[in-house]
Amino acid sequence: MSELSVKHLLGIKYLNLQDIELIFKTADNFKEIINRPIKKVPSLRDVTIANLFFENSTRTKLSFELAQKRLSADIINFSSSKSSVEKGETLLDTVNNILSMKVDMIVLRHPNPGAPILISEKISASIINAGDGSHEHPTQALLDSYSIRERLGDVKNKNVLIVGDVMHSRVALSNIYALQLQGANIMVCGPKTLIPKYLHKLGVKIEYNLLAALKWCDVVNMLRIQNERMKSSYFPSIREYKKHYGLTMSHLDLIENEIIVMHPGPINRGIEISSDVADSKYSIILDQVENGVAIRMAVIYLLAKKNTFKVE
Ligand code: NCD
């Protein structure tokens, strides 16, 4: 298969296993290219992309921009973290204004779950969801699986543990969908108040004791507390949270299995992950960042190839 089954990347939920394999194969080629002295290819010379970020972002925004530049696309950027920007007409108006400037693709980050889906129903350009509230963050999940595959050879049958604020995390949900498609076993761990009740219906294991969960896994993905999405208090204090769910070197010393440690960033050193773990040989956090560029190049290239006559 050389074409994606979808016109947009709205969420992992809409992809099949062949799509994921195609994205990884394409990312392999781009990873090789971005490690050459000349890191740029002319593939998207005539394609124009708008990056619309209605929520703060550093890593994801830079990663998308770099991916687009490496592909020689023309890009325009719009950022607004004002919470008064609302879904519906305002967003659609912004998007339509940008599209009248003849834009082929939109990368959208928005605080409202479903915003990219809404926009995709109204316009002809393809949309990449760069994170919609606590719903999905598909390129993050793709780069996470790609990084696991790079370290462990395969994702299939691996035990992957996701720790922390699963309830408000789009990274968690997209990872669960992506890992399940690839045949991994998934466990989540965190305070009861931050583990949504529907998760067991998705076939995900739940464990509230961090050490027990760590003993089970090959990979642990530590999540940041999504304070900006919490409407009330979900645990007594950060100190309490850290005591029960912060990953430290003493955990890694206590378990016999060798594990790899991941984090989508931004990391809160000393809260969900101690500094020595983040900088240790177990951590692949910076590999994830590097792979993010190759994965985003692959997604942009494959969607542009499917949707415009401009890409060979
Ligand atoms: C994640 C996000 O924005 O969802 N970060 C990212 O994409 N770099 C995770 C987070 O903010 O905790």
Side-chain angles (χ1 to χ4, degrees):
M1 203 182 68
S2 63
E3 213 177 58
L4 290 176
S5 68
V6 288
K7 179 181 173 202
H8 310 281
L9 181 60
L10 299 173
I12 301 288
K13 200 166 59 194
Y14 305 100
L15 299 183
N16 59 41
L17 185 58
Q18 287 75 31
D19 289 326
I20 293 189
E21 278 162 5
L22 177 61
I23 293 168
F24 287 175
K25 210 172 86 202
T26 313
D28 283 342
N29 294 333
F30 285 132
K31 186 157 179 181
E32 192 260 312
I33 289 169
I34 58 180
N35 279 295
R36 287 183 196 162
I38 296 169
K39 302 174 175 58
K40 217 168 158 159
V41 286
S43 320
L44 262 66
R45 228 176 12 217
D46 292 318
V47 175
T48 307
I49 306 176
N51 296 312
L52 310 185
F53 279 70
F54 292 89
E55 209 185 49
N56 288 336
S57 168
T58 311
R59 203 174 335 262
T60 306
K61 193 154 155 282
L62 289 179
S63 180
F64 267 110
E65 270 191 57
L66 204 56
Q68 294 153 358
K69 288 188 168 159
R70 301 271 192 255
L71 290 165
S72 306
D74 288 324
I75 61 175
I76 51 172
N77 293 312
F78 172 83
S79 295
S80 160
S81 59
K82 276 199 266 148
S83 56
S84 62
V85 179
E86 282 176 349
K87 162 169 101 168
E89 223 173 36
T90 317
L91 174 61
L92 192 58
D93 269 349
T94 314
V95 170
N96 274 329
N97 274 283
I98 285 159
L99 287 178
S100 21
M101 299 178 218
K102 305 279 175 278
V103 167
D104 302 294
M105 191 181 287
I106 287 181
V107 175
L108 180 66
R109 168 165 286 199
H110 201 276
N112 290 344
I117 301 173
L118 178 94
I119 294 300
S120 73
E121 287 162 0
K122 313 260 184 217
I123 62 167
S124 61
S126 35
I127 310 267
I128 299 178
N129 178 3
D132 59 334
S134 52
H135 181 222
E136 279 228 41
H137 191 356
T139 55
Q140 180 69 43
L142 289 166
L143 75 88
D144 287 345
S145 287
Y146 186 81
S147 305
I148 296 175
R149 195 187 70 146
E150 192 174 65
R151 272 301 163 108
L152 302 181
D154 205 346
V155 175
K156 196 169 180 180
N157 297 328
K158 295 293 179 298
N159 291 349
V160 182
L161 171 66
I162 302 174
V163 178
D165 185 1
V166 179
M167 168 106 88
H168 300 99
S169 169
R170 52 196 174 205
V171 175
L173 190 61
S174 285
N175 258 280
I176 290 170
Y177 289 141
L179 292 164
Q180 279 187 335
L181 265 181
Q182 296 166 89
N185 310 308
I186 308 163
M187 182 185 278
V188 296
C189 178
K192 270 201 176 97
T193 46
L194 290 175
I195 306 289
K197 292 205 173 62
Y198 66 81
L199 268 193
H200 68 272
K201 289 197 198 128
L202 294 179
V204 171
K205 296 182 206 313
I206 300 174
E207 169 63 64
Y208 299 108
N209 181 290
L210 180 59
L211 191 59
L214 289 167
K215 284 183 179 158
W216 169 87
C217 73
D218 301 304
V219 179
V220 60
N221 197 348
M222 301 302 298
L223 303 173
R224 181 178 66 86
I225 298 287
Q226 307 276 302
N227 278 318
E228 69 277 27
R229 296 187 214 291
M230 291 189 185
K231 293 199 177 69
S232 59
S233 222
Y234 287 82
F235 46 85
S237 66
I238 287 284
R239 205 165 132 247
E240 184 84 5
Y241 180 86
K242 179 179 154 181
K243 187 168 148 221
H244 293 286
Y245 296 104
L247 181 64
T248 62
M249 227 14 145
S250 51
H251 289 112
L252 301 182
D253 291 341
L254 277 171
I255 59 174
E256 276 162 22
N257 42 325
E258 174 125 344
I259 63 175
I260 58 174
V261 177
M262 304 174 71
H263 193 303
I267 61 173
N268 286 310
R269 285 178 185 264
I271 299 179
E272 70 270 5
I273 190 166
S274 67
S275 259
D276 50 359
V277 173
D279 301 330
S280 71
K281 62 173 185 177
Y282 305 106
S283 158
I284 62 161
I285 297 173
L286 293 178
D287 296 349
Q288 290 172 264
V289 179
E290 184 187 344
N291 289 335
V293 178
I295 283 290
R296 291 183 174 112
M297 284 174 83
V299 168
I300 293 166
Y301 172 81
L302 290 166
L303 288 177
K305 194 168 140 200
K306 184 167 168 108
N307 299 325
T308 77
F309 54 88
K310 299 169 186 169
V311 180
E312 275 149 40

